[in-house]
Amino acid sequence: MKLIDPRRFVSRVFPIVQWSKSYDLQIGVGDLIAGITVALTLIPQSIAYASLAGFEPQYGLYASLTGGFVYALMGTCPQINIGPTALLSLLTFTYTNGTNSDFAVLVCFIGGIVQLIAGIAQLGFLVEFVSLPVVSGFTSAAAITIASSQIKGLLGLRFSAESFMSTWKGVFKHIQDTRLPDTLLSLACCVVLIGMKVIKDIKIKGINDEKSRRTGLIIQKCLWFAGVGRNAVVVVLAAVLAFFVHQDKDEPLILTGNITPGLPMPQLPPFHTTVGNTTYTAGEMFTHLGSGLLVVPIVGIISNVAIAKAFARGSTLDATQEIVALGVCNFIGAFFRSFPVNGSFTRSAVSDASGVRTPAAGLYTSIIVLLTLALLTPYFYFIPRAALAAVIVCAVLHMVDIAIIKKLWATSRLDIIPLVGTFVCCLVLGIELGLICGVGVDVVLLLYYHSRPPLRIEFADDGILPPHYAIHPVGGLHFAGAERVRSQLISLRNTKIPNTRLEGLTVVTDDNIATIPRDPVANGTIAVGNGNNVGNGNNVGNTDNFVANGTGGAERGRSANILVIYCDALYRMDYTFLQSIKMLVTEWSKTGQVIWCNTRPGIKDQLNSVLHEPIYCDNDLRMFLLRISAVDEQQAFNDTPL
């Protein structure tokens, strides 16, 4: 048994061991700037996302606390910042609505264990079964659902709603209760957020002298910094405004209210809790959370791996280590009252633009969050909920992916089906059911493709060798396409071929076309199937036993009774397909032969298990066919009556 090198194992689990060897002051300054910049985005977002998840604001800061510390030790992608996200906050609300924070902490704990198991067992490949159209439809629907859930905050309405449909019903039902101050503030915040997002991309050009160029560069850096820290700027300005218009009896704005100060005390995740007058045991909590214990961590894995791939920029990505790191972040976070977290594309983009160099940037971000919890939470009382709603809406707008529809229309129109199906189901049935429906549509399409495996069917007759068909299966052949392939190949046995040389004919099946090099003697088309109309007015079918010869006349044909199957590119057949092959060989062998050419050892073992004395040719097929032809002619001579 091969022993594991402890040093290699530690450096694999904790990548910080590798990159810390070259860590210097210049890299540290870059990470510090990136960490502070991300913190200015993370803190107001985390407060807003706690509200989205249905909890008090401090829980958003709890969820932002440990992720940076853990990911700095175990993460591989410098840009990723682990913390609350709009998508996981919405999913958390979906499964914990009407309960308390203990349920969310339990989801975080169990989700971390699920992610750890997936990473250790190297099950990261499973996320590849969720196609990009499904992910796009899911995230777009989630973005619209999240934005819709904040409409009541933008308008200052008070009602409870869980889904996209119920939210809009509540909006129309309570629209007369709209609060003008909250509405005006939220609109102003949205305008400022969008405007500040634009100014960070302003480029100052056309300056020639050195002093003016230096001044322009400083101004451009200040504009960029204000743009990436726009959430913090808007929240602070809104809180200052709310402080000055605050009245003891009549509140003109709905405020965040009291936030529990101080750091969360480390404690075991709750396995029993009380909601109102009802006490829940661990089993009852698991039953209530149901599929959320799997859906939430899986969505977190998909999002995290997708972000890491986006910022890998072609370099090798250790997806397994990313999943393990995310699992540890959630597992440890649960001991500090965190709800489920993962990487945020918005914050990762800010980190990348800030000049991040290593995952240590998350360490600095978490330190700022820690100081915020310890010192600044009393000052969050005056943050208006309308401002937090505006932050969430503006943060998720970019998640709606409209451009992908144009790309799919130009490349693969069939993939629009899972995209639209996932999107509609997520809005109508809910986020988690919509994702399951999208994966279901993907599975159906996958089975559809497997039911039509590519088969390049050729007919060869050079006048010397006996006429024969040749097919070149590629990859694996599975149960979904078994009957279709068998019926296609059986129909070849009944197809009549002209007595002239036919190497110029095109062989046509239901889905595949292969052309043999054209010979001037013949011109026409062979159709495999019944009653097919094939170009140039040639009607070819099995019912009349005639084949056009391309000159306007027809002659009675003869059948090619040899089928050559090239297996050099075939690596697997499942049991159902093997049984179908057995029936095919039985049918074909009544009047002909099936030859297996260049067969791999594994395929030979499979064929030997179901066929009686299969015919293999692993050398010169031409000589093999000539010998077969000679044997057939001798047999025909012996059978001729004197």
Side-chain angles (χ1 to χ4, degrees), residues 227-280:
V228 298
R230 59 188 179 276
N231 291 333
V233 173
V234 166
V235 168
V236 170
L237 291 178
V240 171
L241 175 64
F243 175 78
F244 283 110
V245 301
H246 174 70
Q247 299 176 8
D248 292 333
K249 295 182 179 179
D250 186 19
E251 292 289 346
L253 296 170
I254 300 176
L255 303 180
T256 299
N258 291 316
I259 298 179
T260 303
L263 299 172
M265 294 299 295
Q267 55 184 296
L268 290 174
F271 288 97
H272 61 85
T273 187
T274 301
V275 180
N277 295 323
T278 304
T279 300
Y280 289 87

Short mmCIF file of all heavy atoms in Angstrom, two decimals, residues 227-280:
data_model
loop_
_atom_site.label_atom_id
_atom_site.label_comp_id
_atom_site.label_asym_id
_atom_site.label_seq_id
_atom_site.Cartn_x
_atom_site.Cartn_y
_atom_site.Cartn_z
N GLY A 227 -17.12 53.95 -6.66
CA GLY A 227 -18.04 53.07 -7.39
C GLY A 227 -18.16 51.70 -6.78
O GLY A 227 -19.26 51.17 -6.61
N VAL A 228 -17.00 51.10 -6.40
CA VAL A 228 -17.05 49.75 -5.82
C VAL A 228 -17.57 49.78 -4.39
O VAL A 228 -18.10 48.77 -3.89
CB VAL A 228 -15.67 49.07 -5.88
CG1 VAL A 228 -15.21 48.91 -7.31
CG2 VAL A 228 -14.64 49.85 -5.07
N GLY A 229 -17.43 50.92 -3.70
CA GLY A 229 -17.96 51.03 -2.34
C GLY A 229 -19.31 51.70 -2.28
O GLY A 229 -19.71 52.22 -1.22
N ARG A 230 -20.03 51.67 -3.40
CA ARG A 230 -21.31 52.40 -3.50
C ARG A 230 -22.34 51.91 -2.50
O ARG A 230 -23.15 52.71 -2.00
CB ARG A 230 -21.86 52.31 -4.92
CG ARG A 230 -22.12 50.90 -5.41
CD ARG A 230 -22.48 50.86 -6.91
NE ARG A 230 -22.71 49.51 -7.38
CZ ARG A 230 -21.73 48.69 -7.78
NH1 ARG A 230 -20.48 49.08 -7.75
NH2 ARG A 230 -22.01 47.47 -8.21
N ASN A 231 -22.35 50.62 -2.18
CA ASN A 231 -23.34 50.12 -1.22
C ASN A 231 -23.15 50.77 0.15
O ASN A 231 -24.11 51.21 0.79
CB ASN A 231 -23.22 48.60 -1.09
CG ASN A 231 -23.66 47.87 -2.35
OD1 ASN A 231 -24.49 48.38 -3.10
ND2 ASN A 231 -23.12 46.70 -2.59
N ALA A 232 -21.89 50.81 0.57
CA ALA A 232 -21.60 51.42 1.87
C ALA A 232 -21.93 52.91 1.87
O ALA A 232 -22.50 53.44 2.83
CB ALA A 232 -20.13 51.21 2.23
N VAL A 233 -21.60 53.60 0.77
CA VAL A 233 -21.88 55.03 0.67
C VAL A 233 -23.38 55.30 0.77
O VAL A 233 -23.83 56.18 1.53
CB VAL A 233 -21.31 55.60 -0.65
CG1 VAL A 233 -21.76 57.05 -0.85
CG2 VAL A 233 -19.80 55.51 -0.66
N VAL A 234 -24.18 54.54 0.01
CA VAL A 234 -25.63 54.75 0.00
C VAL A 234 -26.24 54.44 1.36
O VAL A 234 -27.09 55.19 1.87
CB VAL A 234 -26.28 53.88 -1.10
CG1 VAL A 234 -27.79 53.81 -0.92
CG2 VAL A 234 -25.95 54.43 -2.47
N VAL A 235 -25.80 53.34 1.99
CA VAL A 235 -26.35 52.97 3.29
C VAL A 235 -26.01 54.02 4.34
O VAL A 235 -26.86 54.41 5.16
CB VAL A 235 -25.83 51.58 3.71
CG1 VAL A 235 -26.15 51.31 5.17
CG2 VAL A 235 -26.46 50.49 2.84
N VAL A 236 -24.78 54.51 4.35
CA VAL A 236 -24.38 55.54 5.32
C VAL A 236 -25.16 56.83 5.11
O VAL A 236 -25.68 57.43 6.08
CB VAL A 236 -22.86 55.80 5.23
CG1 VAL A 236 -22.48 57.03 6.05
CG2 VAL A 236 -22.08 54.58 5.70
N LEU A 237 -25.28 57.28 3.87
CA LEU A 237 -26.02 58.52 3.58
C LEU A 237 -27.50 58.38 3.97
O LEU A 237 -28.09 59.30 4.54
CB LEU A 237 -25.90 58.88 2.10
CG LEU A 237 -24.51 59.33 1.63
CD1 LEU A 237 -24.53 59.60 0.13
CD2 LEU A 237 -24.06 60.56 2.39
N ALA A 238 -28.08 57.20 3.67
CA ALA A 238 -29.49 56.98 4.02
C ALA A 238 -29.66 56.95 5.54
O ALA A 238 -30.67 57.46 6.07
CB ALA A 238 -29.98 55.68 3.40
N ALA A 239 -28.71 56.34 6.24
CA ALA A 239 -28.79 56.29 7.71
C ALA A 239 -28.67 57.68 8.32
O ALA A 239 -29.38 58.02 9.28
CB ALA A 239 -27.70 55.37 8.26
N VAL A 240 -27.78 58.52 7.76
CA VAL A 240 -27.65 59.90 8.25
C VAL A 240 -28.94 60.67 8.03
O VAL A 240 -29.42 61.40 8.92
CB VAL A 240 -26.46 60.59 7.55
CG1 VAL A 240 -26.45 62.08 7.87
CG2 VAL A 240 -25.14 59.94 7.96
N LEU A 241 -29.53 60.51 6.83
CA LEU A 241 -30.81 61.17 6.54
C LEU A 241 -31.89 60.71 7.51
O LEU A 241 -32.66 61.54 8.05
CB LEU A 241 -31.22 60.87 5.10
CG LEU A 241 -32.60 61.38 4.66
CD1 LEU A 241 -32.63 62.91 4.69
CD2 LEU A 241 -32.95 60.87 3.27
N ALA A 242 -31.96 59.39 7.76
CA ALA A 242 -32.97 58.86 8.67
C ALA A 242 -32.76 59.38 10.09
O ALA A 242 -33.73 59.62 10.82
CB ALA A 242 -32.93 57.33 8.66
N PHE A 243 -31.51 59.56 10.49
CA PHE A 243 -31.22 60.08 11.83
C PHE A 243 -31.78 61.50 12.00
O PHE A 243 -32.36 61.83 13.04
CB PHE A 243 -29.72 60.08 12.07
CG PHE A 243 -29.30 60.70 13.37
CD1 PHE A 243 -29.42 60.00 14.56
CD2 PHE A 243 -28.81 62.00 13.41
CE1 PHE A 243 -29.04 60.58 15.76
CE2 PHE A 243 -28.44 62.60 14.60
CZ PHE A 243 -28.55 61.88 15.79
N PHE A 244 -31.64 62.33 10.97
CA PHE A 244 -32.08 63.72 11.08
C PHE A 244 -33.61 63.86 10.98
O PHE A 244 -34.17 64.80 11.54
CB PHE A 244 -31.41 64.59 10.01
CG PHE A 244 -29.99 64.93 10.33
CD1 PHE A 244 -28.93 64.38 9.62
CD2 PHE A 244 -29.70 65.80 11.37
CE1 PHE A 244 -27.62 64.69 9.93
CE2 PHE A 244 -28.38 66.11 11.70
CZ PHE A 244 -27.34 65.55 10.97
N VAL A 245 -34.28 62.96 10.27
CA VAL A 245 -35.74 63.05 10.16
C VAL A 245 -36.44 62.18 11.18
O VAL A 245 -37.68 62.09 11.19
CB VAL A 245 -36.21 62.67 8.73
CG1 VAL A 245 -35.59 63.58 7.69
CG2 VAL A 245 -35.92 61.21 8.43
N HIS A 246 -35.66 61.50 12.04
CA HIS A 246 -36.23 60.59 13.02
C HIS A 246 -37.09 61.35 14.04
O HIS A 246 -36.72 62.43 14.51
CB HIS A 246 -35.12 59.85 13.76
CG HIS A 246 -35.60 59.00 14.89
ND1 HIS A 246 -36.33 57.86 14.70
CD2 HIS A 246 -35.47 59.14 16.24
CE1 HIS A 246 -36.61 57.32 15.87
NE2 HIS A 246 -36.10 58.09 16.83
N GLN A 247 -38.25 60.78 14.36
CA GLN A 247 -39.14 61.32 15.39
C GLN A 247 -39.52 60.20 16.33
O GLN A 247 -39.66 59.04 15.92
CB GLN A 247 -40.40 61.93 14.75
CG GLN A 247 -40.10 63.09 13.80
CD GLN A 247 -41.36 63.61 13.12
OE1 GLN A 247 -42.46 63.19 13.45
NE2 GLN A 247 -41.18 64.51 12.17
N ASP A 248 -39.69 60.54 17.57
CA ASP A 248 -39.95 59.50 18.58
C ASP A 248 -41.29 58.80 18.39
O ASP A 248 -41.41 57.60 18.59
CB ASP A 248 -39.89 60.11 19.98
CG ASP A 248 -38.48 60.55 20.34
OD1 ASP A 248 -37.54 59.94 19.79
OD2 ASP A 248 -38.32 61.49 21.14
N LYS A 249 -42.31 59.54 17.99
CA LYS A 249 -43.65 58.96 17.92
C LYS A 249 -44.03 58.52 16.51
O LYS A 249 -44.59 57.46 16.32
CB LYS A 249 -44.68 59.97 18.44
CG LYS A 249 -44.51 60.29 19.93
CD LYS A 249 -45.59 61.26 20.40
CE LYS A 249 -45.44 61.58 21.89
NZ LYS A 249 -46.47 62.55 22.35
N ASP A 250 -43.75 59.32 15.54
CA ASP A 250 -44.17 59.04 14.16
C ASP A 250 -42.93 58.84 13.30
O ASP A 250 -42.20 59.79 13.02
CB ASP A 250 -45.02 60.18 13.63
CG ASP A 250 -45.59 59.87 12.25
OD1 ASP A 250 -45.62 58.67 11.91
OD2 ASP A 250 -45.96 60.81 11.53
N GLU A 251 -42.68 57.59 12.87
CA GLU A 251 -41.50 57.29 12.07
C GLU A 251 -41.78 57.55 10.59
O GLU A 251 -42.61 56.88 9.99
CB GLU A 251 -41.11 55.81 12.25
CG GLU A 251 -40.59 55.47 13.62
CD GLU A 251 -39.22 56.07 13.88
OE1 GLU A 251 -38.57 56.52 12.92
OE2 GLU A 251 -38.80 56.11 15.05
N PRO A 252 -41.11 58.52 9.95
CA PRO A 252 -41.33 58.75 8.52
C PRO A 252 -40.74 57.64 7.66
O PRO A 252 -41.19 57.42 6.53
CB PRO A 252 -40.62 60.08 8.28
CG PRO A 252 -39.59 60.18 9.35
CD PRO A 252 -40.17 59.48 10.53
N LEU A 253 -39.73 56.92 8.17
CA LEU A 253 -39.09 55.83 7.42
C LEU A 253 -39.07 54.57 8.28
O LEU A 253 -38.91 54.63 9.50
CB LEU A 253 -37.65 56.21 7.05
CG LEU A 253 -37.46 57.40 6.11
CD1 LEU A 253 -36.00 57.79 6.04
CD2 LEU A 253 -38.00 57.08 4.72
N ILE A 254 -39.24 53.43 7.63
CA ILE A 254 -39.12 52.15 8.33
C ILE A 254 -37.64 51.85 8.52
O ILE A 254 -36.88 51.77 7.54
CB ILE A 254 -39.80 51.02 7.53
CG1 ILE A 254 -41.28 51.32 7.33
CG2 ILE A 254 -39.63 49.68 8.24
CD1 ILE A 254 -42.00 50.30 6.47
N LEU A 255 -37.21 51.69 9.76
CA LEU A 255 -35.79 51.53 10.08
C LEU A 255 -35.45 50.08 10.39
O LEU A 255 -36.33 49.25 10.68
CB LEU A 255 -35.42 52.42 11.27
CG LEU A 255 -35.70 53.92 11.11
CD1 LEU A 255 -35.29 54.66 12.37
CD2 LEU A 255 -34.99 54.48 9.89
N THR A 256 -34.16 49.79 10.34
CA THR A 256 -33.68 48.45 10.67
C THR A 256 -33.96 48.11 12.13
O THR A 256 -34.34 47.00 12.47
CB THR A 256 -32.17 48.34 10.38
OG1 THR A 256 -31.95 48.57 9.00
CG2 THR A 256 -31.64 46.98 10.78
N GLY A 257 -33.77 49.07 13.01
CA GLY A 257 -34.05 48.85 14.42
C GLY A 257 -32.83 48.35 15.17
O GLY A 257 -31.70 48.37 14.67
N ASN A 258 -33.06 47.88 16.37
CA ASN A 258 -31.97 47.44 17.24
C ASN A 258 -31.26 46.21 16.67
O ASN A 258 -31.91 45.27 16.18
CB ASN A 258 -32.49 47.12 18.64
CG ASN A 258 -32.94 48.38 19.37
OD1 ASN A 258 -32.25 49.40 19.34
ND2 ASN A 258 -34.09 48.30 20.03
N ILE A 259 -29.94 46.24 16.73
CA ILE A 259 -29.12 45.11 16.31
C ILE A 259 -28.33 44.63 17.52
O ILE A 259 -27.68 45.43 18.20
CB ILE A 259 -28.16 45.50 15.17
CG1 ILE A 259 -28.96 45.95 13.94
CG2 ILE A 259 -27.24 44.36 14.82
CD1 ILE A 259 -28.09 46.39 12.78
N THR A 260 -28.39 43.33 17.77
CA THR A 260 -27.68 42.77 18.93
C THR A 260 -26.19 43.00 18.78
O THR A 260 -25.57 42.53 17.82
CB THR A 260 -27.96 41.26 19.05
OG1 THR A 260 -29.37 41.06 19.14
CG2 THR A 260 -27.27 40.70 20.28
N PRO A 261 -25.57 43.75 19.69
CA PRO A 261 -24.13 44.04 19.56
C PRO A 261 -23.27 42.88 20.03
O PRO A 261 -23.75 41.95 20.69
CB PRO A 261 -23.96 45.27 20.47
CG PRO A 261 -25.01 45.09 21.52
CD PRO A 261 -26.17 44.41 20.85
N GLY A 262 -21.99 42.93 19.67
CA GLY A 262 -21.05 41.94 20.16
C GLY A 262 -20.84 40.78 19.22
O GLY A 262 -21.59 40.57 18.25
N LEU A 263 -19.82 39.99 19.51
CA LEU A 263 -19.46 38.83 18.70
C LEU A 263 -20.29 37.62 19.13
O LEU A 263 -20.64 37.49 20.30
CB LEU A 263 -17.97 38.52 18.86
CG LEU A 263 -17.00 39.62 18.41
CD1 LEU A 263 -15.58 39.25 18.81
CD2 LEU A 263 -17.10 39.84 16.91
N PRO A 264 -20.60 36.72 18.18
CA PRO A 264 -21.35 35.51 18.55
C PRO A 264 -20.45 34.57 19.35
O PRO A 264 -19.28 34.37 19.02
CB PRO A 264 -21.73 34.91 17.19
CG PRO A 264 -20.67 35.41 16.26
CD PRO A 264 -20.30 36.78 16.73
N MET A 265 -20.98 34.01 20.39
CA MET A 265 -20.23 33.06 21.20
C MET A 265 -20.20 31.70 20.50
O MET A 265 -21.24 31.20 20.06
CB MET A 265 -20.86 32.91 22.58
CG MET A 265 -20.78 34.17 23.42
SD MET A 265 -19.06 34.66 23.75
CE MET A 265 -18.52 33.25 24.74
N PRO A 266 -19.02 31.08 20.37
CA PRO A 266 -18.97 29.75 19.75
C PRO A 266 -19.82 28.76 20.52
O PRO A 266 -19.74 28.68 21.74
CB PRO A 266 -17.48 29.39 19.82
CG PRO A 266 -16.77 30.69 19.99
CD PRO A 266 -17.71 31.57 20.77
N GLN A 267 -20.65 28.02 19.80
CA GLN A 267 -21.51 27.02 20.44
C GLN A 267 -21.89 25.96 19.42
O GLN A 267 -21.80 26.18 18.20
CB GLN A 267 -22.78 27.69 20.98
CG GLN A 267 -23.56 28.48 19.94
CD GLN A 267 -24.75 29.20 20.54
OE1 GLN A 267 -25.68 28.57 21.03
NE2 GLN A 267 -24.73 30.54 20.49
N LEU A 268 -22.29 24.80 19.91
CA LEU A 268 -22.69 23.71 19.02
C LEU A 268 -23.94 24.10 18.24
O LEU A 268 -24.80 24.83 18.74
CB LEU A 268 -22.97 22.44 19.83
CG LEU A 268 -21.75 21.74 20.45
CD1 LEU A 268 -22.23 20.60 21.35
CD2 LEU A 268 -20.83 21.22 19.36
N PRO A 269 -24.06 23.65 16.99
CA PRO A 269 -25.29 23.90 16.22
C PRO A 269 -26.50 23.34 16.95
O PRO A 269 -26.41 22.30 17.62
CB PRO A 269 -25.04 23.17 14.90
CG PRO A 269 -23.56 23.06 14.80
CD PRO A 269 -23.06 22.91 16.20
N PRO A 270 -27.64 24.00 16.86
CA PRO A 270 -28.82 23.54 17.62
C PRO A 270 -29.46 22.31 16.99
O PRO A 270 -29.69 22.27 15.78
CB PRO A 270 -29.76 24.76 17.51
CG PRO A 270 -29.36 25.44 16.24
CD PRO A 270 -27.89 25.22 16.09
N PHE A 271 -29.72 21.31 17.84
CA PHE A 271 -30.43 20.12 17.38
C PHE A 271 -31.81 20.00 18.04
O PHE A 271 -32.47 18.97 17.93
CB PHE A 271 -29.60 18.87 17.65
CG PHE A 271 -28.40 18.76 16.75
CD1 PHE A 271 -27.15 19.18 17.18
CD2 PHE A 271 -28.53 18.27 15.46
CE1 PHE A 271 -26.04 19.09 16.35
CE2 PHE A 271 -27.42 18.17 14.62
CZ PHE A 271 -26.19 18.59 15.07
N HIS A 272 -32.21 21.05 18.73
CA HIS A 272 -33.59 21.17 19.21
C HIS A 272 -33.83 22.66 19.43
O HIS A 272 -32.91 23.43 19.73
CB HIS A 272 -33.80 20.37 20.50
CG HIS A 272 -32.93 20.83 21.63
ND1 HIS A 272 -33.27 21.87 22.48
CD2 HIS A 272 -31.72 20.38 22.05
CE1 HIS A 272 -32.32 22.04 23.37
NE2 HIS A 272 -31.37 21.15 23.14
N THR A 273 -35.06 23.07 19.25
CA THR A 273 -35.37 24.50 19.37
C THR A 273 -36.84 24.66 19.70
O THR A 273 -37.63 23.71 19.61
CB THR A 273 -35.05 25.24 18.06
OG1 THR A 273 -35.20 26.64 18.25
CG2 THR A 273 -35.96 24.78 16.92
N THR A 274 -37.21 25.89 20.05
CA THR A 274 -38.60 26.21 20.36
C THR A 274 -39.04 27.39 19.51
O THR A 274 -38.36 28.43 19.48
CB THR A 274 -38.77 26.56 21.85
OG1 THR A 274 -38.34 25.45 22.64
CG2 THR A 274 -40.22 26.88 22.16
N VAL A 275 -40.13 27.21 18.81
CA VAL A 275 -40.72 28.27 18.00
C VAL A 275 -42.11 28.55 18.57
O VAL A 275 -43.01 27.71 18.46
CB VAL A 275 -40.81 27.87 16.51
CG1 VAL A 275 -41.44 29.00 15.70
CG2 VAL A 275 -39.44 27.51 15.96
N GLY A 276 -42.26 29.70 19.19
CA GLY A 276 -43.53 29.98 19.86
C GLY A 276 -43.72 29.04 21.01
O GLY A 276 -42.89 28.96 21.93
N ASN A 277 -44.80 28.28 20.95
CA ASN A 277 -45.08 27.29 22.00
C ASN A 277 -44.76 25.87 21.55
O ASN A 277 -45.11 24.90 22.23
CB ASN A 277 -46.57 27.37 22.41
CG ASN A 277 -46.90 28.70 23.04
OD1 ASN A 277 -46.09 29.26 23.79
ND2 ASN A 277 -48.09 29.22 22.75
N THR A 278 -44.11 25.74 20.39
CA THR A 278 -43.83 24.42 19.83
C THR A 278 -42.35 24.10 19.97
O THR A 278 -41.49 24.91 19.60
CB THR A 278 -44.22 24.35 18.34
OG1 THR A 278 -45.59 24.72 18.19
CG2 THR A 278 -43.99 22.95 17.79
N THR A 279 -42.05 22.94 20.52
CA THR A 279 -40.67 22.48 20.67
C THR A 279 -40.36 21.45 19.58
O THR A 279 -41.12 20.50 19.37
CB THR A 279 -40.43 21.85 22.04
OG1 THR A 279 -40.70 22.84 23.06
CG2 THR A 279 -39.00 21.37 22.18
N TYR A 280 -39.25 21.66 18.86
CA TYR A 280 -38.85 20.77 17.77
C TYR A 280 -37.63 19.96 18.21
O TYR A 280 -36.65 20.52 18.71
CB TYR A 280 -38.47 21.58 16.52
CG TYR A 280 -39.63 22.23 15.81
CD1 TYR A 280 -40.09 23.48 16.19
CD2 TYR A 280 -40.26 21.60 14.74
CE1 TYR A 280 -41.14 24.10 15.54
CE2 TYR A 280 -41.32 22.20 14.08
CZ TYR A 280 -41.75 23.45 14.48
OH TYR A 280 -42.80 24.05 13.83
#
